[in-house]
Amino acid sequence: MRPSQPLLPRFLSPSRRLRRTNLKGFDSVVKYSICITGFFIATFFLYSTLNLHGEKNLDNGRLNGDSEFPKVTIFSAPRPLISSNGSDLTWARQKLAVSSWLALSDNVDVVLFGRHPSIVELKEGYSSRVAIEPSIDFTFLGTPFFHSMVARAQSTASDISMIIDSETVLFPEIFNAITSIQKLDKDWFVFSFTPNILNFAYQLAGTGHSWFGQDGRMIESNELQEALFKQSEARNCSERLLIAWNNPKLPLFHGVMPPFMYGKGFYELWLINEILSSEIRTVFDASHLNLSLFPENLGTLSSMFSEDYSTRSERTWEYHNNLRVAKSYGLLFFQKTFLSNTPYDIVNSLGQYYFLNEEKGHILAPGTKRKKEILNSLGCPKERNKCSLWQFDNLTLEMPAQIEYKYTLERLLQTVSDENKTVILGISGESYRDMLMSWVCRLRNLGITNFIVYALDPETYEFSFSQGLPVFMDTQSPKNISFDDCHFGTGCFQRVTKVKSRMVLKILKLGYNVLLSDIDVYWFQNPLPYLSSFGPGVLAAQSDEYNETVPINLPRRLNSGFYFAQSDPITIAAIELVVKHASSSNLSEQPSFYDILCGEAGANRVGDNRCVERRTNLTVVLLDRDLFPNGAYKGIWEKRDIRSVCANLGCFVLHNNWISGRKGKLERQMASGLWDYDPTLRMCIQNWSNFDVLFDHSY
């Protein structure tokens, strides 16, 4: 019997092996092909079903906060309200507008720029999706700066930022359009001008997709849109620009936006031109889609209580300032004509959005086929919407010879003084205008608005009102002020200081208390409540003494760069003596303050920190140096962390004196971190990193 052996594979010839292998491979291919085909067919039907369902319920998905829908933050600057009792048309329009924004999607948040108390009333009744943001730049009249609004909008964590007029109503189609633009996978910027509706007698049903008419009948949003825009008007639509952009961290254009005052014209023209020319983003004009409207009249409500803010016939200094800014910066400085480039028009054809550029012969649309045929069949809108970019075709940019800024000292005092008729007076010439702005920004950050600026030269005057400051000039302003050599001890310094006491005296005689603060004084907190507590007949001033072992009221240690004077007969009489003495002195006004109020060689000293002027009986209090340190006290300016040092001391302010020269003063303050102005961006420095704390939910 033979031993068992392992079975050997049956021998096949090469040709038979090949044929069998091919047959097996073919069978496998057929089987796999059938499986894959079946899978794709099933997927196609499933996708079609879901897509059909999704298209049908697209808006419902957005209303339910669909995670795939882009997150949008809408920014707006409401106008101050007169009344919330229904008689104020501005109030009613703004309420309707914000409601229409929130109804679009749960993924929409709203940020309202403002500091006026009425903005809190506007927010009431809304969810945590509405927040108030006071930390942008405003003029002293409460007008926000557009460049600061845009910078704030670019700090958002949302997918899309939008800035819109506070009384503009949005329709749901805007998000259909934005979603279509997003699918292009580009960095984009879209704008749309909003037309007027003379008689708007509809109420939002709550979802944003339905409205109630006066007869109580419910009307779908698209039906209402179609009906309303037949009666829309282009009047004043250039002042109600809607802009939106994705990828907010990416710049909108090359360069820096100058300080335009919001709602005062020309910034919309300037911005669109810069973005088109920079070609960082693809630009779309959505004005033809009728995405928004401005309800001029709401049913039977009268507009007699509301300011006609958009009347172009009253061209104020703010409009003239914006025109000057538009012509002084960017491409409009070099070009006489507008639109060296053109945007894409957005066209909605049977629910499909197409993006057409007639001049370039380009079309952007899903897919790559038949673009030429689509372009030929659609073309650009045959009738230009007057509420579009083309309204600027015949725009003339003629500047008046001089901007008429009509705010006198008396009018400014009435406008900015607080409830105690107290003002803070800052004085500056051109060489210190950046330091002036840092001082102003610090006051703004502290919520202090009752300050005025005395400009020593025309350059500072024009710069200040272009920055929205309450500024004035005086016929007694000194001449020949040196740009670099106007520090302590110079003749220029002596001329400048002597006008300070004269101006303080003038304001006191007008019935206002004055806190004079040199602009090199850094404020950590508002000292006015503390200084006011001394009462009438007392002048509170900073001490210039740095030696900690001697009295602070030694001869000529009264600092006339920071003092508080109340408008009472005793104080006025004493300041008159100081002004008279300084006018005949060949020194600055500071020695005159001490020699008159505290007596020559300190003859009127009382204790270690007071003086009493004997003719008027005015009491002078030299302030605690821990609370009001001068520039040499305890070497604070040399400390590594000045904020912590002053926090421990309880400082109200810190004076940047006891240093020679403009350059050294500026360098010391900037290096210390006690600087609140960005001269490159022409904006106050803001801490916008914590954006999400505005809302009760996080992104």
Side-chain angles (χ1 to χ4, degrees):
M1 186 174 185
R2 292 183 180 180
S4 61
Q5 295 180 358
L7 296 176
L8 298 176
R10 186 179 179 184
F11 174 77
L12 296 174
S13 67
S15 60
R16 291 181 66 188
R17 288 201 304 269
L18 180 60
R19 286 198 300 273
R20 180 164 293 189
T21 301
N22 288 343
L23 287 173
K24 288 182 179 180
F26 179 78
D27 290 341
S28 300
V29 169
V30 170
K31 290 178 182 178
Y32 282 120
S33 298
I34 292 172
C35 292
I36 292 171
T37 303
F39 172 79
F40 276 112
I41 291 173
T43 302
F44 175 78
F45 281 111
L46 178 61
Y47 171 80
S48 300
T49 303
L50 292 175
N51 190 52
L52 180 62
H53 179 75
E55 289 292 331
K56 186 177 180 181
N57 297 286
L58 180 61
D59 294 328
N60 292 334
R62 289 173 189 166
L63 288 172
N64 293 327
D66 187 346
S67 60
E68 305 236 345
F69 181 66
K71 294 173 181 175
V72 179
T73 301
I74 296 178
F75 298 86
S76 188
R79 278 167 275 279
L81 306 175
I82 300 171
S83 167
S84 60
N85 62 10
S87 63
D88 185 1
L89 186 57
T90 297
W91 165 269
R93 281 196 296 239
Q94 291 184 164
K95 273 290 187 180
L96 178 63
V98 175
S99 297
S100 74
W101 308 341
L102 293 174
L104 295 170
S105 169
D106 286 344
N107 284 355
V108 173
D109 289 323
V110 174
V111 175
L112 302 176
F113 295 124
R115 295 176 179 172
H116 47 88
S118 64
I119 197 171
V120 178
E121 296 181 50
L122 181 60
K123 182 187 183 305
E124 287 178 0
Y126 292 121
S127 66
S128 58
R129 291 162 56 201
V130 179
I132 298 174
E133 174 58 279
S135 299
I136 63 167
D137 292 359
F138 293 83
T139 71
F140 76 98
L141 296 175
T143 303
F145 276 99
F146 184 62
H147 70 318
S148 188
M149 292 171 60
V150 172
R152 185 65 174 109
Q154 287 189 279
S155 71
T156 180
S158 294
D159 301 310
I160 295 170
S161 290
M162 182 185 299
I163 296 179
I164 188 172
D165 177 82
S166 64
E167 298 172 42
T168 294
V169 172
L170 286 178
F171 287 109
E173 188 182 355
I174 187 168
F175 284 102
N176 298 335
I178 284 177
T179 302
S180 296
I181 297 173
Q182 279 283 73
K183 291 178 182 177
L184 297 175
D185 194 25
K186 293 178 177 291
D187 294 315
W188 53 265
F189 174 87
V190 63
F191 64 90
S192 178
F193 294 96
T194 301
N196 287 54
I197 302 296
L198 292 179
N199 294 296
F200 187 85
Y202 302 90
Q203 289 296 323
L204 191 65
T207 64
H209 297 257
S210 300
W211 297 76
F212 288 111
Q214 284 182 320
D215 57 1
R217 185 174 69 90
M218 184 175 286
I219 305 172
E220 289 300 313
S221 180
N222 55 356
E223 181 185 352
L224 179 63
Q225 253 181 293
E226 189 174 339
L228 287 176
F229 284 104
K230 291 179 180 178
Q231 54 175 299
S232 64
E233 293 193 359
R235 183 162 56 91
N236 301 324
C237 60
S238 65
E239 296 177 6
R240 284 183 288 276
L241 177 70
L242 178 161
I243 60 174
W245 63 96
N246 70 338
N247 193 8
K249 302 302 180 185
L250 181 73
L252 293 175
F253 57 90
H254 298 300
V256 176
M257 188 182 302
F260 289 104
M261 298 174 188
Y262 182 67
K264 307 304 177 183
F266 303 106
Y267 56 87
E268 63 279 287
L269 166 68
W270 188 94
L271 177 63
I272 294 170
N273 196 38
E274 292 299 313
I275 297 175
L276 282 167
S277 301
S278 292
E279 297 185 341
I280 296 176
R281 295 171 177 267
T282 304
V283 182
F284 301 96
D285 184 352
S287 302
H288 308 291
L289 296 180
N290 300 324
L291 306 175
S292 58
L293 61 85
F294 173 75
E296 191 160 335
N297 295 317
L298 291 172
T300 59
L301 280 177
S302 170
S303 61
M304 63 180 293
F305 296 100
S306 296
E307 177 190 4
D308 187 9
Y309 63 90
S310 59
T311 303
R312 281 283 192 174
S313 59
E314 297 181 3
R315 295 223 174 229
T316 66
W317 65 273
E318 293 173 304
Y319 285 95
H320 290 150
N321 177 76
N322 273 12
L323 175 55
R324 181 177 65 178
V325 170
K327 294 186 66 175
S328 301
Y329 298 88
L331 292 174
L332 290 179
F333 177 79
F334 302 100
Q335 300 173 355
K336 293 182 179 180
T337 58
F338 171 56
L339 278 185
S340 57
N341 204 345
T342 56
Y344 284 85
D345 288 310
I346 305 178
V347 178
N348 183 351
S349 178
L350 302 176
Q352 173 67 55
Y353 290 93
Y354 298 94
F355 312 99
L356 313 175
N357 192 308
E358 188 177 25
E359 182 176 306
K360 294 182 178 179
H362 288 174
I363 181 169
L364 299 175
T368 58
K369 296 180 180 180
R370 298 176 53 249
K371 284 190 176 183
K372 187 172 183 180
E373 291 86 340
I374 293 173
L375 182 61
N376 292 334
S377 62
L378 289 175
C380 280
K382 298 297 184 291
E383 293 183 7
R384 293 289 185 191
N385 185 340
K386 292 180 181 178
C387 247
S388 69
L389 196 60
W390 308 101
Q391 66 192 288
F392 295 116
D393 269 357
N394 300 317
L395 181 68
T396 57
L397 301 176
E398 295 182 5
M399 265 293 296
Q402 185 176 1
I403 297 178
E404 295 186 16
Y405 178 83
K406 298 180 179 179
Y407 283 87
T408 61
L409 172 61
E410 290 76 11
R411 188 176 175 190
L412 288 176
L413 292 171
Q414 294 171 2
T415 304
V416 307
S417 62
D418 65 12
E419 64 278 5
N420 299 318
K421 296 193 70 174
T422 299
V423 294
I424 301 159
L425 176 63
I427 300 174
S428 178
E430 185 184 13
S431 60
Y432 280 94
R433 72 180 190 182
D434 287 346
M435 182 166 279
L436 166 66
M437 285 306 304
S438 181
W439 180 78
V440 166
C441 289
R442 184 57 188 164
L443 296 188
R444 287 174 175 171
N445 288 338
L446 291 173
I448 300 170
T449 58
N450 59 321
F451 62 87
I452 56 176
V453 175
Y454 177 18
L456 297 174
D457 49 62
E459 293 80 12
T460 304
Y461 180 68
E462 292 185 8
F463 171 81
S464 295
F465 72 68
S466 72
Q467 293 286 308
L469 306 187
V471 62
F472 68 98
M473 279 192 68
D474 187 75
T475 56
Q476 294 182 329
S477 296
K479 310 300 180 186
N480 303 320
I481 301 175
S482 170
F483 187 86
D484 285 308
D485 189 19
C486 200
H487 50 82
F488 183 84
T490 64
C492 174
F493 179 83
Q494 293 172 13
R495 292 193 299 274
V496 168
T497 60
K498 290 181 181 181
V499 303
K500 295 195 296 185
S501 55
R502 289 201 299 266
M503 192 52 59
V504 168
L505 178 60
K506 184 175 182 178
I507 296 172
L508 292 175
K509 288 183 175 181
L510 289 171
Y512 295 87
N513 309 318
V514 182
L515 171 53
L516 182 135
S517 173
D518 283 351
I519 60 173
D520 62 351
V521 175
Y522 188 84
W523 291 41
F524 292 99
Q525 52 184 318
N526 188 353
L528 273 174
Y530 175 81
L531 296 174
S532 300
S533 66
F534 288 103
V538 177
L539 185 141
Q542 187 179 50
S543 171
D544 237 0
E545 181 57 65
Y546 58 87
N547 191 332
E548 298 179 52
T549 63
V550 301
I552 64 174
N553 59 353
L554 288 179
R556 294 191 172 177
R557 287 311 193 199
L558 188 155
N559 190 315
S560 63
F562 187 89
Y563 64 89
F564 180 64
Q566 304 211 41
S567 180
D568 57 66
I570 293 176
T571 305
I572 291 174
I575 297 296
E576 282 181 327
L577 294 175
V578 172
V579 170
K580 183 178 179 180
H581 185 274
S583 65
S584 59
S585 170
N586 59 359
L587 301 175
S588 69
E589 70 168 7
Q590 186 154 301
S592 295
F593 262 89
Y594 188 89
D595 291 351
I596 291 297
L597 301 181
C598 289
E600 293 187 12
N604 299 337
R605 289 175 54 205
V606 177
D608 290 341
N609 69 338
R610 290 177 180 253
C611 302
V612 176
E613 204 287 313
R614 295 175 181 175
R615 285 168 289 183
T616 61
N617 206 34
L618 174 74
T619 298
V620 178
V621 174
L622 279 298
L623 295 164
D624 185 334
R625 289 173 298 173
D626 282 352
L627 304 182
F628 299 88
N630 60 62
Y633 179 65
K634 289 188 174 180
I636 294 176
W637 281 105
E638 281 68 50
K639 304 295 183 184
R640 177 174 296 179
D641 189 348
I642 297 177
R643 290 186 185 274
S644 295
V645 172
C646 274
N648 292 332
L649 291 174
C651 302
F652 283 100
V653 302
L654 172 64
H655 206 146
N656 187 8
N657 62 348
W658 285 101
I659 185 170
S660 180
R662 179 183 70 92
K663 183 178 178 181
K665 188 184 292 277
L666 289 169
E667 288 178 349
R668 181 166 79 171
Q669 189 159 340
M670 288 182 176
S672 70
L674 304 182
W675 190 264
D676 290 81
Y677 177 65
D678 187 334
T680 303
L681 300 178
R682 292 283 183 92
M683 279 193 297
C684 295
I685 297 171
Q686 307 282 1
N687 181 18
W688 288 335
S689 57
N690 248 343
F691 185 87
D692 295 340
V693 301
L694 288 174
F695 303 102
D696 293 341
H697 63 278
S698 63
Y699 289 99

